[in-house]
Structures are given as C-alpha cells and as structure tokens.
C-alpha cells in the first residue's frame, strides 16, 4: 500500500498563537486569519483578540482551543446560562443579539450568492430586513427533548448533549425552554431513582428511559409530557385510557413504566399538564422518537392558537418551536403568496396544517401534503375544529403525492371528484396560483421541484430552515422559469446559529 503522505501545515498541535477574530463560521465558531491561514476557534466571538493553542491542523485551516481572551470584543456578552459553553445547544449565546441577527442574515445572503449563484447586488436589492425577536430572546421554545442517562455514580441524569458528542451535560433548566421543564424532569429522575428504573444506555442498548419530550402551548398553557422508552417484551400493548377520561389508566399499560400511576400522579399535579404519553423506541439509533405511541393519561394532543387558528399537536407531529416568531414567519409567507380570496394553493411539507389553514382563510382552496400520518390526522381535525372546509390533506411524500396528483393517479385512488365543481377544482389544482413549500433541512426532492415546474404556479413561496439547500433549490426553480422577487429571514432560534428564510418566486 502506498504510504499516506502527511499534508504540510504551518502549525502543529500545541502551537500557541495570538489573533483577532474577524468572522463567525456557519456553526458559530470564531474565525481568525494569520497570513491568510484560517483558524476556527470555538467560543471566540467576532472582535475578540485571543490567545489560542492549535488542536488539529490541515493544509489550509486549523481548529484551535481558546486559551485566553486577551481583549474581549465589544459584541461579547456574558451568557446567562451557566452551561452555555459546554452545551451544544446555544452556539452564539455569548454574542450580542443585534450582532447575532447580522451574522444570520449574512449567512443566508452569502449562501444565496455562493451556492445559489445569484449576483450579490441582486440579492441585496431583494432582501428585506431580518425579523428578530423584540423583547426577551430566552424561554422562547415550546418544546424540549431531554436525553436521560446515568452519571458516574449510577444516578439517573437528564440534560443536553455536549456539542458534537453524546455525553450528557446535566441540566434541568434550559434557558431557552419553559420553566416547567425543570419540575417535570426532577419528578422523572426521582421516580427512576426510587424504583431503580434504568436509563437507556446507548452502548449496550440496555435500559428503559431514553428521552423526555415536553411541549407547552404558549396560548393555551397546556403541557404535554411524552416518555420515550425502550420496551422490548410488551405482552399486552393496549392503548391507554380514552381521550376524554382524565384519570390514570387501569388498562394493561402498567408494564410500560414501573409504578407509572405514582409517576403520573406527581406530573399531573403540575399546573397545565393535560397529556401524558409513552413512545416506544426499541431501535439502536439516535433518532429520538419511535413510531409507537400510547396515551397513558389525558388527551392524545395539546392545543395551541396561532394566526387565529386552534391547532391540535400530537407528540409525533412537527410544530414550530418558537410560536411568537412563527406567526411573523407565516404572516410573511402569506404576504408573499399575495392571496385575494379565490386562489388555489398547495402547501407541501404542511405538518399539522399550520400554513395551509392560515392561508385557507384567505384563498379558494388549499391542498396540504405531509409524510407523517399523525400530523395529517391533526391537520384534518384542525380544519374541522376551526370550521375550515376549503382544505384537503394528503399523507405521503411531497415528491410522490404531487407527481401522482399531476399524472392523475391520485383521483382514482381517492375518487376525489364526482361533480362538475369538483372537476373544475381539480383542474385548478393541476395549475395552482401558489405553491408553498416548507421542507426539512435537506430541502426539496428533485421530483418535487420538477413537478412544481410542470404545474406552473404563478407564485412559489419557499420557507426554509437551511439556506444552503434553499439556495440549491432556488437555482433549479429560477433556471426553470421563475424570478426570485423577495427574500426575508426570520429569527426563530435566538442564541443558536439556525435561521429561517422565506422567498417569493414569480413565474416569468
Ligand atoms: N409547514 C409545517 C411543517 C414544516 S417542517 C410547519 O410550519 O409547521 C417540515 C415537515 O415536512 C415536517 O412535518 C416533516 O414531517 C415533513 N416531511 C419531511 N419529509 C417530507 C416529504 N418527503 N414529503 C412530505 N413531508 C415531509
């Protein structure tokens, strides 16, 4: 075998250097340069003058450890969270909020230019000011998923994974989450200790408790608690009590969690708890939730009000984590859709129908598509509960449902139309006025984009949580005959590097 030659690097491990931090990387690390050579320094912020030691060096760049802040940046702030540095959740909590917004807006701008191949001047002419959080930018998250593990002494712990690892940093009170999280976690950990219930061990695959998922409706104040557990020998996996009976179940679900009634009674004493469920995940995976879910107390869902509509949210359904900013994001998407009342709209990747139903109030008919069946159940219930009759939802992958619909395969499957008005409606859906997409980070599948181009909507509204895949997909749509006309970023995730964007495209 040929001997692997080592890349020449200007520095080696342990070298100590001093430098100015002049930029921030996409994952929130500080970036500085010495003679054109790039150094990534975690926890350093733009404007810091720092002393670092090289940890790992390559030909063109190195990762360095922040040894000392010689002169702190004017934008550096003391992070309010005591574990901000160790925890992987908030990458830029130590950066002034105005500067956070500037960094995020630039990140999207640069991706559109570099990865989307758009002209810088053009992007600057269409980008609108970033929509930041006005007041407090902590405690904004309505959802938290805490991993459960074991400390050195064998005691159960909950917290968050340290950046890029699966080591749990014990923390009950995340400052991005609601205050009730701490109380609930304390009850769970005490219960585990008292009854000797083991946390799931990722290496051996043994143990019970994997995660605790907590969600709170910010307007309804309803709280959902879902225990994600490993449960291999389930002899009698009956469903829990009915949706309406608000008392602990007597059904044969007791083997899910030992002494579960005691646990339930303590948790329901917390103000607002209306739903307790168990999710079974027996896979050796880092995917948090399994597919099997049993309500063990209360309702199968919680409700929350957004854009004037009440939404039912199940443990498995996607629901944006920052409701205050989500309303602003959706209102921008609605504005970009330019609805006057009779339009036909597709909402792809619709989740529980949040965007679909908000738009249905202002459009002729809306079609929603989503891959998670429980989310579509929620979307349909949400339409009924809010007396919205002009919305149709399909379960399936956008890249399969949309082509099937376009090629006429869905009609026969669902025998969706049998009247003239339904036929007219169907024809309109083949060439809609607007298509909205809000895909996960990996963006839209090429089959989905190609079908969208064939359907020739007048406008496309692209909502994105990853500006790299957004840029890639926008290029395909623009090359397919659309003009990028408006773009805006909205901060749904203060103190982290994540950012949402929304773009409007108009058919040329
Ligand atoms: N628009 C919704 C959900 C956006 S998140 C909201 O704002 O609440 C993205 C959604 O896409 C998730 O609900 C996820 O389950 C769904 N999804 C992921 N891959 C999909 C696919 N290939 N086709 C359809 N939906 C998909």
């Amino acid at each position: 075998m040929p001997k692997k030659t080592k890349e020449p690097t200007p520095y080696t491990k342990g070298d100590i250097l001093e430098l100015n931090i002049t930029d921030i990387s996409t994952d929130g690390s500080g970036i500085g340069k010495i003679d054109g050579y790039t150094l990534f320094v975690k926890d350093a912020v733009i404007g810091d003058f720092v002393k670092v030691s090289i940890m790992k060096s390559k030909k063109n760049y190195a990762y360095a450890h922040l040894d000392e802040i010689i002169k702190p940046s004017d934008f550096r702030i003391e992070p309010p969270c005591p574990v901000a540095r160790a925890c992987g959740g908030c990458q830029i909590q130590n950066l002034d909020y105005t500067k956070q917004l500037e960094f995020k807006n630039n990140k999207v701008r640069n991706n559109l230019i570099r990865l989307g191949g758009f002209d810088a001047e053009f992007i600057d002419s269409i980008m609108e000011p970033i929509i930041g959080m006005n007041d407090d930018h902590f405690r904004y998250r309505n959802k938290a998923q805490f991993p459960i593990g074991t400390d050195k002494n064998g005691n159960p712990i909950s917290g968050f994974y340290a950046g890029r690892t699966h080591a749990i940093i014990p923390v009950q009170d995340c400052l991005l989450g609601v205050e009730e999280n701490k109380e609930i976690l304390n009850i769970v950990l005490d219960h585990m200790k008292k009854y000797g219930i083991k946390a799931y061990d990722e290496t051996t695959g043994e143990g019970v408790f994997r995660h605790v998922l907590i969600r709170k409706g910010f307007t309804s104040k309803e709280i959902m608690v879902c225990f994600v557990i490993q449960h291999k020998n389930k002899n009698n996996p009956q469903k829990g009590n009915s949706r309406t009976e608000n008392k602990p179940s007597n059904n044969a679900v007791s083997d899910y969690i030992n002494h579960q009634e005691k646990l339930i009674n303590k948790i329901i004493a917390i103000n607002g708890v209306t739903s307790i469920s168990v999710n079974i995940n027996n896979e050796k995976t880092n995917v948090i939730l399994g597919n099997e879910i049993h309500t063990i107390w209360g309702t199968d869902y919680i409700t929350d009000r957004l854009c004037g509509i009440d939404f039912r949210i199940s443990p498995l359904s996607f629901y944006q984590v920052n409701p205050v900013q989500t309303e602003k994001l959706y209102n921008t998407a609605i504005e970009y859709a330019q609805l006057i009342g009779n339009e036909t709209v597709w909402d792809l990747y619709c989740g529980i129908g949040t965007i679909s139903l908000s738009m249905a109030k202002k459009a002729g008919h809306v079609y929603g598509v989503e891959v998670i069946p429980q989310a579509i159940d929620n979307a349909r219930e949400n339409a009924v509960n809010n007396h919205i009759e002009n919305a149709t939802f399909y379960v399936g992958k956008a890249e399969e449902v949309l082509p099937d619909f376009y090629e006429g395969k869905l009609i026969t499957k669902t025998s969706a139309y049998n009247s003239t008005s339904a036929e007219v409606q169907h024809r309109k859906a083949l060439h809609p006025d607007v298509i909205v997409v809000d895909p996960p980070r990996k963006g839209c599948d090429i089959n989905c984009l190609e079908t969208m181009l064939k359907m020739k909507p007048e406008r496309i509204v692209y909502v994105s949580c990853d500006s790299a895949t957004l840029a890639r997909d926008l290029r395909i749509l623009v090359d397919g005959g659309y003009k990028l006309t408006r773009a805006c970023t909205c901060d749904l995730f203060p103190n982290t590097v994540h950012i949402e964007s929304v773009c409007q495209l108009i058919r040329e």
Side-chain angles (χ1 to χ4, degrees):
M1 252 211 316
K3 214 175 146 198
K4 216 174 155 190
T5 50
K6 235 180 144 208
E7 283 180 341
T9 63
Y11 302 106
T12 48
K13 194 175 169 184
D15 282 356
I16 296 191
L17 305 161
E18 291 183 357
L19 73 158
N20 277 313
I21 300 298
T22 50
D23 206 348
I24 313 172
S25 72
T26 48
D27 69 356
S29 293
I31 299 179
K33 289 199 185 228
I34 295 182
D35 300 330
Y37 185 81
T38 305
L39 289 117
F40 292 97
V41 188
K42 193 174 168 291
D43 301 315
V45 309
I46 216 166
D48 277 344
F49 182 59
V50 294
K51 186 191 242 183
V52 302
S53 48
I54 301 287
M55 298 189 302
K56 191 173 173 187
S57 65
K58 300 269 182 193
K59 190 173 157 214
N60 297 318
Y61 64 92
Y63 296 101
H65 177 262
L66 177 62
D67 294 340
E68 187 191 335
I69 302 163
I70 301 169
K71 188 173 178 302
S73 158
D74 291 343
F75 310 117
R76 172 177 277 284
I77 55 159
E78 188 57 41
C81 174
V83 292
R85 204 170 160 178
C87 167
C90 289
Q91 305 88 349
I92 50 173
Q93 208 187 97
N94 54 3
L95 189 63
D96 172 72
Y97 189 56
T98 316
K99 206 73 186 168
Q100 287 187 20
L101 293 178
E102 191 185 309
F103 154 68
K104 293 189 191 197
N105 210 43
N106 270 334
K107 177 167 138 174
V108 175
R109 174 189 179 270
N110 294 341
N111 277 344
L112 293 180
I113 297 166
R114 278 192 303 120
L115 307 173
F118 295 99
D119 184 61
E121 248 174 67
F122 167 69
I123 291 298
D124 291 339
S125 72
I126 60 152
M127 264 186 100
E128 293 161 28
I130 185 166
I131 305 170
M133 263 193 113
N134 288 338
D135 310 315
D136 195 5
H137 48 277
F138 287 90
R139 302 254 181 238
Y140 62 79
R141 281 188 71 102
N142 56 15
K143 173 185 166 185
Q145 306 181 109
F146 294 90
I148 306 289
T150 312
D151 72 7
K152 281 192 216 109
N153 306 320
N155 291 318
I157 50 166
S158 68
F160 286 107
Y161 295 124
R164 294 169 199 267
T165 75
H166 266 216
I168 297 174
I169 311 259
V171 46
Q172 261 94 290
D173 189 24
C174 165
L175 293 188
L176 299 192
V178 297
E179 274 158 5
E180 290 90 344
N181 289 342
K182 184 177 169 184
E183 245 176 301
I184 295 166
L185 289 174
N186 279 335
I187 292 172
V188 175
L189 297 180
D190 281 351
H191 181 85
M192 291 175 70
K193 237 191 208 168
K194 188 162 176 190
Y195 296 104
I197 305 170
K198 292 270 174 268
Y200 176 76
D201 181 328
E202 283 186 328
T203 21
T204 62
E206 299 293 319
V208 180
F209 268 83
R210 298 177 71 128
H211 275 83
V212 177
L213 178 150
I214 304 168
R215 240 182 193 159
K216 180 173 178 179
F218 274 29
T219 56
S220 66
K221 311 287 177 220
E222 289 176 7
I223 296 174
M224 158 190 291
V225 182
C226 176
F227 306 116
V228 186
I229 64 167
Q230 165 161 266
H231 180 75
K232 286 221 165 116
N233 53 348
K234 43 185 168 141
N235 302 323
N236 201 353
Q238 272 185 37
K239 204 169 173 350
N241 62 320
S242 76
R243 289 170 183 218
T244 45
E245 250 182 321
N246 250 11
K247 62 177 201 253
S249 158
N250 290 322
N251 288 344
V253 288
S254 55
D255 60 337
Y256 284 142
I257 300 172
N258 300 339
H259 310 281
Q260 63 149 333
E261 284 207 6
K262 292 199 173 66
L263 179 59
I264 289 172
N265 285 336
K266 280 193 189 137
I267 287 183
I268 60 178
I270 295 172
N271 210 2
V273 175
T274 53
S275 166
I276 306 180
S277 56
V278 165
N279 177 273
I280 313 267
N281 185 354
N282 291 336
E283 304 298 318
K284 241 186 152 183
T285 159
N286 51 20
V287 175
I288 296 176
L289 292 166
N291 292 325
E292 191 182 330
I293 195 137
H294 303 268
T295 303
I296 58 171
W297 186 85
T299 47
D300 299 341
Y301 53 83
I302 54 164
T303 47
D304 198 24
R305 197 170 174 80
L306 206 64
C307 297
I309 300 172
D310 292 318
F311 289 101
R312 280 187 182 180
I313 310 148
S314 301
L316 290 174
S317 303
F318 177 88
Y319 184 64
Q320 288 286 9
V321 296
N322 181 340
V324 172
Q325 289 299 95
T326 299
E327 274 207 346
K328 298 181 194 167
L329 176 78
Y330 290 169
N331 285 336
T332 310
I334 293 169
E335 189 189 322
Y336 283 10
Q338 295 177 343
L339 304 175
I340 53 167
N342 56 358
E343 290 84 358
T344 300
V345 180
W346 280 87
D347 176 22
L348 308 179
Y349 312 88
C350 71
I352 60 170
T354 40
I355 297 179
S356 332
L357 298 177
S358 310
M359 289 195 175
K361 284 173 127 188
K362 300 182 165 70
H365 202 95
V366 178
Y367 297 83
V369 182
E370 160 65 44
V371 75
I372 305 274
Q374 287 87 345
I376 287 293
D377 289 345
N378 285 161
R380 289 180 179 142
E381 288 164 356
N382 291 333
V384 172
N385 294 343
N386 290 282
H387 314 290
I388 294 171
E389 287 171 3
N390 56 337
T392 309
F393 292 98
Y394 296 109
V395 183
K397 292 184 176 170
E399 60 273 26
E400 289 171 7
V401 171
L402 204 64
D404 279 359
F405 187 90
Y406 187 70
E407 287 156 24
K409 292 182 195 156
L410 259 188
I411 322 163
T412 40
K413 260 191 223 162
T414 59
S415 49
Y417 72 98
N418 50 14
S419 70
T420 322
S421 69
E423 205 179 319
V424 172
Q425 190 185 308
H426 179 79
R427 240 182 295 122
K428 282 190 184 167
L430 290 175
H431 298 292
D433 299 283
V434 182
I435 298 184
V436 181
V437 297
D438 184 6
R441 282 188 199 164
K442 67 175 182 205
C444 295
D445 186 277
I446 187 70
N447 279 335
C448 177
L449 293 170
E450 281 175 355
T451 312
M452 284 164 65
L453 290 173
K454 284 187 203 154
M455 291 170 90
K456 299 190 170 59
E458 290 309 314
R459 293 175 291 286
I460 295 173
V461 178
Y462 197 130
V463 183
S464 161
C465 56
D466 185 317
S467 53
T469 56
L470 168 72
R472 177 200 70 195
D473 293 351
L474 288 181
R475 172 48 53 200
I476 294 169
L477 295 171
V478 166
D479 289 347
Y482 283 79
K483 186 169 164 47
L484 180 58
T485 40
R486 297 179 75 174
C488 185
T489 52
C490 182
D491 191 18
L492 265 65
F493 316 104
N495 304 311
T496 78
V497 290
H498 304 293
I499 179 76
E500 287 276 326
S501 320
V502 48
C503 293
Q504 182 197 55
L505 296 115
I506 294 192
R507 194 154 77 92
E508 293 208 276

